[in-house]
Amino acid sequence: MFRYSCRLLSNVCQHQLQLTKGFQEAAIMSQDIGHNKNKVYKVVLTGGPCGGKTTGQARLSTFFESLGWKVYRAPETALVLMSGGVKFTNLSKLEAYKFQENLIRTMKQIEDTYFELANTCPQNCLVICDRGIMDASAYLPTEDWAQMKADNNWNEIQLRDNRYNQVIHMVSAARGAEMFYTVAGHQTRHESINQAIELDQITAGAWVGHPYYDVIDNTTGFEGKVMRMISAVCNRLGIDTGDRLSTNSKKRKFLVTGVLDWTIFPPHQKFMVTHDYLVTPSRKMQARIRKRGQNGQWTYTHTIRRPEINEESVELRMAINSRDYEILLAQRDYRHYSIYKKRTCFLWNNHYFHLDEYEDPCPPGCKGLILLETYTTLEGDDLKVPDFLQIEQEVTGNSKYSMFNLSIKEEMDRTKSDASIDSRDV
């Protein structure tokens, strides 16, 4: 068991080395079947009308192909089916229900076809899904979606969290870039600005709860928006883009003392999360596993953060199964407490937030601790924090609130550990 765990850890480290040696070297390595680990990464691009999804998909494809990756693009299933003459306004309630159910089944089959191809690809492979299953669920009444899940034995942890590695919401130009919103030249787009805003909010809300959800808003020009989208994918994969992409998005963290008013809290998803740190060859390296879920359904993640490269700590996250999780858990570092959180995920003011409430049993420094986190390009007071939360102060970059530091048992030398800490951990 120990040998298997070490081999798994070694494989992840090799992935990390491949992803951070530069673009040319990565391209060469990805063509070398003997050394390739066949990285498969599945991304959903979603968003309201006129958000840049189509252009973004093409640019994302070109970028990863330039790194030597194979890229597959799963088409938008709804567009394919609707182009066959279907009009929702002409369908009865039952017909609309069955059409949406078959749309999701068709989407699953189309995506699975590309996923299978990716799994046998002799290169690192990126699969871009033009919308995903939760987009289709957004257009169903709550009771219909519940019935459909029951009829098909579906659950949202599998359809939303486990099926895709990352979800990127490209905010409609109708929200913050109104002068650029247009329906001209688009055969299926006819929404007014108000309708576009509503559709954008509906699709955004459908994905709340996904563990790696990035919202790309209109705070920059369109070129900057596309660059931020590509950079979001690279950051999650641990690819060092150097100066090739220009982005200043960073995590900001706030200390919260309570929720002022739950009645105005936006739609949200709640999860239970457990973090455990693992033994590593060097104290300069962090490794941890995470178990995250709701209603008895779970996702598992293995994260390794390597020592600083070019003044940045490089991180790789990979989804694992329950068996690998249990094997790795045997390598838990007992110099650290296990961390238990209740995580509330929500969208507010075009930003995706995590509200983490630390649960018992917890380390002494976590008693009653509540932290709010988001990724943003906004600096200082330009970022508006939720007014239904009681924010005490911003603690971005404060090592006291690094989860790694919070988990350290008192007998461990904190001074030595602080030198290797990157407070961006989640």
Side-chain angles (χ1 to χ4, degrees), residues 16 19-20 23 39 41 43 59-60 63-64 66-67 69 126 166 168 214 226-242 244-245 247 312 314-317:
Q16 185 65 39
L19 292 173
T20 56
F23 300 112
K39 178 79 173 175
Y41 199 72
V43 177
R59 294 279 295 277
L60 184 62
F63 183 86
F64 270 83
S66 75
L67 301 185
W69 286 55
L126 175 69
Q166 184 178 6
I168 295 181
D214 292 279
V226 173
M227 288 297 186
R228 285 158 49 214
M229 180 272 291
I230 298 172
S231 182
V233 178
C234 291
N235 288 341
R236 296 292 189 189
L237 274 166
I239 295 177
D240 182 6
T241 60
R244 190 167 177 178
L245 296 175
T247 179
E312 290 190 12
V314 180
E315 182 174 277
L316 175 66
R317 292 183 180 133

Coordinates of all heavy atoms in Angstrom, one line a residue, residues 16 19-20 23 39 41 43 59-60 63-64 66-67 69 126 166 168 214 226-242 244-245 247 312 314-317:
Q16 N 3.6 17.6 -12.6 CA 3.9 19.0 -12.3 C 5.1 19.4 -13.0 O 5.2 20.5 -13.5 CB 4.0 19.1 -10.8 CG 4.2 20.5 -10.3 CD 3.0 21.4 -10.6 OE1 1.9 20.9 -10.5 NE2 3.2 22.6 -11.1
L19 N 4.5 20.2 -16.6 CA 3.6 21.4 -16.9 C 4.3 22.7 -16.6 O 3.8 23.7 -17.0 CB 2.4 21.3 -16.0 CG 1.4 20.2 -16.4 CD1 0.3 20.1 -15.4 CD2 0.8 20.4 -17.8
T20 N 5.5 22.7 -16.0 CA 6.1 23.9 -15.6 C 7.5 24.1 -16.2 O 8.2 25.0 -15.8 CB 6.3 24.0 -14.1 OG1 7.0 22.8 -13.6 CG2 4.9 24.0 -13.4
F23 N 6.8 26.3 -22.5 CA 6.0 25.9 -23.6 C 6.6 24.9 -24.6 O 6.1 23.9 -25.0 CB 5.5 27.1 -24.3 CG 4.7 28.0 -23.4 CD1 5.2 29.3 -23.1 CD2 3.5 27.6 -22.9 CE1 4.5 30.1 -22.3 CE2 2.8 28.5 -22.1 CZ 3.3 29.7 -21.7
K39 N -2.6 13.4 -19.6 CA -3.4 14.3 -18.8 C -4.7 14.6 -19.5 O -4.7 15.1 -20.7 CB -2.7 15.6 -18.5 CG -3.4 16.7 -17.7 CD -3.5 16.3 -16.3 CE -4.1 17.5 -15.5 NZ -4.3 17.1 -14.1
Y41 N -8.2 16.9 -19.3 CA -8.8 18.0 -18.5 C -10.1 18.5 -19.2 O -10.1 18.8 -20.4 CB -7.8 19.2 -18.4 CG -8.1 20.1 -17.3 CD1 -8.0 19.8 -16.0 CD2 -8.7 21.4 -17.6 CE1 -8.2 20.7 -14.9 CE2 -8.9 22.3 -16.5 CZ -8.7 21.9 -15.2 OH -9.0 22.8 -14.2
V43 N -13.3 21.0 -19.4 CA -13.7 22.4 -19.1 C -15.0 22.7 -19.7 O -15.3 22.4 -20.9 CB -12.7 23.4 -19.6 CG1 -13.2 24.8 -19.3 CG2 -11.3 23.2 -18.9
R59 N -10.1 30.6 -29.1 CA -8.8 31.0 -28.6 C -8.2 30.1 -27.6 O -7.0 29.8 -27.6 CB -9.0 32.4 -27.9 CG -9.4 33.5 -28.9 CD -8.2 34.1 -29.7 NE -7.2 34.7 -28.8 CZ -7.3 36.0 -28.4 NH1 -8.4 36.7 -28.8 NH2 -6.5 36.5 -27.6
L60 N -9.0 29.5 -26.8 CA -8.5 28.5 -25.8 C -8.0 27.3 -26.5 O -6.9 26.7 -26.2 CB -9.7 28.1 -24.9 CG -9.3 27.1 -23.7 CD1 -8.3 27.7 -22.8 CD2 -10.6 26.7 -22.9
F63 N -4.6 28.1 -28.1 CA -3.5 28.3 -27.1 C -3.0 26.9 -26.7 O -1.8 26.7 -26.7 CB -4.1 29.1 -25.9 CG -3.0 29.3 -24.9 CD1 -2.2 30.4 -24.9 CD2 -2.9 28.4 -23.8 CE1 -1.2 30.6 -24.0 CE2 -1.9 28.6 -22.8 CZ -1.1 29.7 -22.9
F64 N -3.9 26.0 -26.4 CA -3.5 24.7 -25.9 C -2.9 23.8 -27.0 O -2.0 23.0 -26.8 CB -4.6 24.0 -25.2 CG -4.6 24.3 -23.7 CD1 -5.2 25.4 -23.2 CD2 -4.0 23.5 -22.8 CE1 -5.3 25.8 -21.9 CE2 -4.0 23.8 -21.4 CZ -4.6 24.9 -21.0
S66 N -1.0 25.0 -29.2 CA 0.3 25.6 -29.4 C 1.3 25.0 -28.3 O 2.5 25.0 -28.5 CB 0.3 27.1 -29.3 OG 0.1 27.5 -27.9
L67 N 0.7 24.4 -27.2 CA 1.5 23.8 -26.2 C 1.7 22.3 -26.5 O 2.4 21.6 -25.7 CB 0.8 23.9 -24.8 CG 0.5 25.3 -24.3 CD1 0.0 25.2 -22.9 CD2 1.8 26.1 -24.3
W69 N -0.9 20.1 -26.9 CA -2.1 19.4 -26.4 C -3.0 19.1 -27.6 O -3.1 19.8 -28.5 CB -2.8 20.2 -25.4 CG -2.2 20.3 -24.0 CD1 -1.0 20.8 -23.8 CD2 -2.8 20.0 -22.8 NE1 -0.7 20.7 -22.4 CE2 -1.8 20.3 -21.8 CE3 -4.0 19.5 -22.4 CZ2 -2.1 20.1 -20.4 CZ3 -4.3 19.3 -21.0 CH2 -3.3 19.6 -20.1
L126 N -7.2 18.3 -23.8 CA -8.2 19.3 -23.3 C -9.5 19.1 -24.0 O -9.6 19.1 -25.2 CB -7.7 20.7 -23.5 CG -8.7 21.8 -23.0 CD1 -8.8 21.9 -21.5 CD2 -8.3 23.2 -23.6
Q166 N -13.4 21.8 -14.5 CA -13.5 23.2 -14.3 C -14.7 23.8 -15.0 O -15.0 23.3 -16.1 CB -12.2 23.9 -14.7 CG -12.1 25.4 -14.4 CD -10.8 26.0 -14.9 OE1 -10.0 25.3 -15.5 NE2 -10.6 27.3 -14.6
I168 N -16.2 27.6 -16.4 CA -15.9 29.0 -16.6 C -17.2 29.7 -17.2 O -17.7 29.3 -18.2 CB -14.7 29.2 -17.6 CG1 -13.5 28.6 -17.0 CG2 -14.6 30.7 -17.9 CD1 -12.2 28.8 -17.8
D214 N -15.0 29.5 -12.2 CA -14.4 30.8 -12.4 C -15.4 31.7 -13.2 O -16.0 31.2 -14.2 CB -13.1 30.7 -13.2 CG -12.0 30.1 -12.4 OD1 -11.4 30.8 -11.5 OD2 -11.8 28.9 -12.6
V226 N -10.8 37.5 -22.6 CA -10.4 36.2 -23.2 C -9.1 35.8 -22.5 O -8.9 34.6 -22.2 CB -10.2 36.3 -24.7 CG1 -9.6 35.0 -25.3 CG2 -11.6 36.6 -25.3
M227 N -8.1 36.7 -22.3 CA -6.8 36.3 -21.7 C -7.0 35.8 -20.3 O -6.4 34.8 -19.8 CB -5.9 37.5 -21.7 CG -5.3 37.8 -23.1 SD -4.3 36.5 -23.7 CE -3.7 37.2 -25.2
R228 N -7.9 36.4 -19.6 CA -8.2 36.0 -18.2 C -8.9 34.6 -18.2 O -8.6 33.8 -17.3 CB -9.2 37.0 -17.5 CG -8.4 38.3 -17.1 CD -9.4 39.5 -16.9 NE -10.5 39.1 -16.1 CZ -11.8 39.6 -16.3 NH1 -12.0 40.5 -17.3 NH2 -12.7 39.3 -15.5
M229 N -9.7 34.4 -19.2 CA -10.3 33.0 -19.3 C -9.3 32.0 -19.5 O -9.2 30.9 -18.8 CB -11.4 33.0 -20.4 CG -12.1 31.7 -20.5 SD -11.2 30.6 -21.7 CE -11.5 31.4 -23.2
I230 N -8.4 32.2 -20.5 CA -7.3 31.2 -20.7 C -6.4 31.0 -19.5 O -6.0 29.9 -19.2 CB -6.5 31.7 -22.0 CG1 -7.4 31.7 -23.2 CG2 -5.3 30.7 -22.2 CD1 -6.7 32.3 -24.4
S231 N -6.1 32.2 -18.9 CA -5.2 32.1 -17.7 C -5.9 31.3 -16.6 O -5.2 30.6 -15.8 CB -4.9 33.5 -17.3 OG -4.0 33.5 -16.2
A232 N -7.2 31.4 -16.5 CA -7.9 30.7 -15.4 C -7.7 29.2 -15.6 O -7.5 28.5 -14.6 CB -9.4 31.1 -15.4
V233 N -7.8 28.7 -16.8 CA -7.6 27.3 -17.1 C -6.1 26.9 -16.8 O -5.8 25.9 -16.1 CB -7.9 27.0 -18.6 CG1 -7.7 25.5 -18.8 CG2 -9.4 27.3 -18.9
C234 N -5.2 27.7 -17.2 CA -3.8 27.5 -17.0 C -3.4 27.4 -15.5 O -2.7 26.6 -15.0 CB -2.9 28.5 -17.7 SG -2.9 28.4 -19.5
N235 N -4.0 28.4 -14.8 CA -3.8 28.4 -13.3 C -4.3 27.2 -12.6 O -3.6 26.6 -11.7 CB -4.4 29.6 -12.7 CG -3.8 30.9 -13.1 OD1 -2.6 30.9 -13.5 ND2 -4.5 32.0 -13.0
R236 N -5.4 26.7 -13.0 CA -5.9 25.5 -12.4 C -5.1 24.2 -12.7 O -5.0 23.3 -11.9 CB -7.4 25.2 -12.9 CG -8.4 26.3 -12.5 CD -8.7 26.3 -11.0 NE -9.8 27.2 -10.6 CZ -10.1 27.5 -9.4 NH1 -9.4 27.1 -8.4 NH2 -11.1 28.4 -9.2
L237 N -4.5 24.2 -13.9 CA -3.7 23.1 -14.4 C -2.2 23.2 -13.8 O -1.5 22.3 -13.9 CB -3.6 23.1 -15.9 CG -4.8 22.3 -16.6 CD1 -4.8 22.6 -18.0 CD2 -4.6 20.8 -16.3
G238 N -1.9 24.4 -13.3 CA -0.5 24.6 -12.9 C 0.5 24.9 -14.0 O 1.7 24.6 -13.8
I239 N 0.0 25.4 -15.1 CA 0.9 25.7 -16.2 C 1.4 27.1 -16.0 O 0.7 28.1 -15.9 CB 0.1 25.6 -17.6 CG1 -0.3 24.1 -17.8 CG2 1.0 26.1 -18.7 CD1 -1.1 23.9 -19.1
D240 N 2.7 27.2 -16.0 CA 3.4 28.5 -15.9 C 3.4 29.2 -17.3 O 4.1 28.8 -18.2 CB 4.8 28.3 -15.4 CG 5.5 29.6 -15.2 OD1 4.9 30.7 -15.3 OD2 6.7 29.6 -14.8
T241 N 2.6 30.3 -17.4 CA 2.5 30.9 -18.7 C 3.5 32.1 -18.9 O 3.6 32.7 -19.9 CB 1.1 31.5 -18.9 OG1 0.8 32.5 -17.9 CG2 0.0 30.4 -18.8
G242 N 4.3 32.3 -17.8 CA 5.3 33.4 -17.9 C 4.6 34.7 -18.3 O 3.6 35.1 -17.7
R244 N 3.3 35.3 -21.3 CA 2.5 35.0 -22.4 C 1.1 35.5 -22.2 O 0.4 35.8 -23.2 CB 2.5 33.5 -22.8 CG 1.9 33.2 -24.2 CD 2.3 31.8 -24.6 NE 1.6 31.5 -25.8 CZ 1.8 30.3 -26.5 NH1 2.7 29.5 -26.0 NH2 1.2 30.1 -27.6
L245 N 0.6 35.4 -21.0 CA -0.8 35.9 -20.7 C -0.7 37.0 -19.6 O 0.1 36.8 -18.7 CB -1.6 34.7 -20.1 CG -1.9 33.6 -21.1 CD1 -2.7 32.5 -20.3 CD2 -2.7 34.0 -22.3
T247 N -2.5 38.8 -16.7 CA -3.6 38.7 -15.8 C -3.1 39.1 -14.4 O -2.0 38.9 -14.0 CB -4.2 37.3 -15.7 OG1 -5.2 37.2 -14.8 CG2 -3.1 36.3 -15.3
E312 N 7.2 32.0 -7.6 CA 5.8 31.6 -7.5 C 5.7 30.1 -7.1 O 6.5 29.3 -7.6 CB 5.0 31.8 -8.8 CG 4.7 33.3 -9.1 CD 3.8 33.4 -10.3 OE1 3.1 32.4 -10.6 OE2 3.7 34.5 -10.8
V314 N 4.1 26.7 -7.4 CA 3.4 26.0 -8.4 C 2.6 24.9 -7.8 O 3.0 24.1 -7.1 CB 4.4 25.5 -9.5 CG1 3.6 24.8 -10.6 CG2 5.2 26.6 -10.1
E315 N 1.3 24.9 -8.2 CA 0.4 23.9 -7.6 C -0.3 23.1 -8.7 O -0.6 23.6 -9.8 CB -0.7 24.7 -6.8 CG -1.7 23.8 -6.1 CD -2.6 24.6 -5.2 OE1 -2.2 25.0 -4.1 OE2 -3.7 25.0 -5.7
L316 N -0.5 21.8 -8.4 CA -1.3 20.9 -9.3 C -2.3 20.2 -8.5 O -2.1 19.7 -7.4 CB -0.3 19.9 -9.9 CG -1.0 18.8 -10.8 CD1 -1.6 19.4 -12.0 CD2 -0.1 17.7 -11.1
R317 N -3.6 20.3 -9.0 CA -4.7 19.6 -8.4 C -5.2 18.5 -9.4 O -5.3 18.8 -10.6 CB -5.8 20.5 -8.1 CG -5.6 21.6 -7.0 CD -6.8 22.4 -6.8 NE -6.5 23.4 -5.8 CZ -6.9 24.6 -5.8 NH1 -7.4 25.1 -6.9 NH2 -6.6 25.5 -4.9

